[in-house]
Every structure is written in C-alpha cells, then in structure tokens.
Amino acid sequence: MKKLLIILLMWGIGVTTLFAGETPPVQGWNNLGSGVNGEVNSIAVYNSDIYAGGEFTIAGGNSISFIAKWDGTKWTALGSGVNGFVDAMAVYNGELYAGGTFTVAGGNTVSNIAKWNGTSWSAVGSGLNNNVRAMIVFNGELIVGGAFSNQGNNIPKCNGTSWSSLGSGVDDDVHAFTIYQ
C-alpha cells in the first residue's frame, strides 16, 4: 500500500516533469491511463478501486466532474460527479465520503460534503457551510476538518447522518489529520 500511495502522489504532481530526462528512482512505474487534466487533492481506496478527487474535469480522456474511479484499466465518472473541487475523501460505514467546495453531488443538493454508495450520491446530514479540507475515521467516527462554523467549529464528527461537536472545536481552519499511536 505504501508503494502505491507514493506512486499515486508522484503521478499527481507529474512523474514526467519531476524526472525529465532521468530514470525514475523506482522501477516499474505505471501510468493510470492518460491521467487527469488538473490537480489531484485526495486519493482513497473504496471497494478495491482507486478514487481520485481534485480540480480536474477530464480523466482518461473522459469528461469527469472533479472525482473519478480507476478500476485497474480505465477511469470512470461517479454518476454526474460534483460541481466543485474535492479536497478530502474517506471510507466510512461502507461508503465513500467526499468533501471540498461544492453544492451538488449526483444532481442532489449538498453542502460541501456528500457520500457515494457505489451507485449514487447523497447528502451527509445538513452538511457544512464552508470548505471541507480533511477527513479521517477515528474510533469508529468520521472526523471532518475545514473552514466552517455551522458544525463543531471547524472540526466536527459525523455518524453518517447527523453531526456533533468534537470538544469545543478549533479557532482556525483544519487542513490535515493523522493518527498518532
């Protein structure tokens, strides 16, 4: 898994540009089709496929709306996608959660966060009133970070349908999470 993550991150910034005229330090690099036409901000594995979210509208030559699935041979859209950038993804309770700056997912009105069940998009409770920047599953709960004030002061938790505060929150935007043991 670590090797795959490194490969995808390098792919996201452009292996060709990084190693122009040089041999990559790791042999066996593989392109994921013809790639995407913009930035990849988040990567997740869901149901054995790779999902990329970001600031792109084409993946593998196909018209895509900011989030796409790589099944090992080709890129495909997740329904009609979302109408704005995807900055964070996490798998929680058997569904793929995507957050960013968008108000529509699969034709449904959402507020910067939505979930994909493998065939369709749906809202996550009442959503969040500004950008979602980070997600992580910790102790069986989905923790979300960003720049919003309507739920948990930039860092709430969600059970899949409703939101609750994680302590008193934080005073500034949240951009990343990790688990320290």
Side-chain angles (χ1 to χ4, degrees), residues 78-95:
L78 279 64
S80 58
V82 299
N83 71 336
F85 298 162
V86 174
D87 292 315
M89 292 187 293
V91 176
Y92 176 68
N93 284 345
E95 296 178 299

Side-chain angles (χ1 to χ4, degrees), residues 18-65:
L18 186 64
F19 299 110
E22 298 179 28
T23 302
V26 177
Q27 298 301 312
W29 292 85
N30 294 313
N31 290 330
L32 301 183
S34 58
V36 302
N37 71 334
E39 294 179 22
V40 172
N41 298 333
S42 185
I43 299 168
V45 175
Y46 172 64
N47 289 340
S48 302
D49 293 318
I50 299 169
Y51 289 75
E55 302 172 29
F56 55 87
T57 56
I58 297 174
N62 301 315
S63 181
I64 301 287
S65 293

Side-chain angles (χ1 to χ4, degrees), residues 6 12 18 21 33 42-43 45 50 52 65 72-73 97 113-114 116 118 126 128 136 144 146-147 162-163 167 177:
I6 291 168
L18 186 64
S42 185
I43 299 168
V45 175
I50 299 169
S65 293
T73 47
Y97 284 69
I113 188 168
W116 172 257
S126 57
L128 301 161
I136 196 167
V144 180
S162 63
W163 297 93
F177 292 116

Side-chain angles (χ1 to χ4, degrees), residues 100-101 111-113 127-133 146-150 154:
T101 307
S111 292
N112 302 304
I113 188 168
L128 301 161
N129 67 354
N130 209 337
N131 309 8
V132 173
R133 298 288 184 227
F148 40 82
S149 58
N150 68 318
N154 298 319

Side-chain angles (χ1 to χ4, degrees), residues 89-158:
M89 292 187 293
V91 176
Y92 176 68
N93 284 345
E95 296 178 299
L96 177 69
Y97 284 69
T101 307
F102 53 86
T103 57
V104 176
N108 300 310
T109 300
V110 299
S111 292
N112 302 304
I113 188 168
K115 57 186 176 180
W116 172 257
N117 65 9
T119 57
S120 63
W121 288 100
S122 60
V124 180
S126 57
L128 301 161
N129 67 354
N130 209 337
N131 309 8
V132 173
R133 298 288 184 227
M135 288 188 208
I136 196 167
V137 176
F138 180 70
N139 286 339
E141 297 176 307
L142 178 66
I143 312 297
V144 180
F148 40 82
S149 58
N150 68 318
Q151 306 287 352
N153 200 26
N154 298 319
I155 185 170
K157 59 185 177 178
C158 183

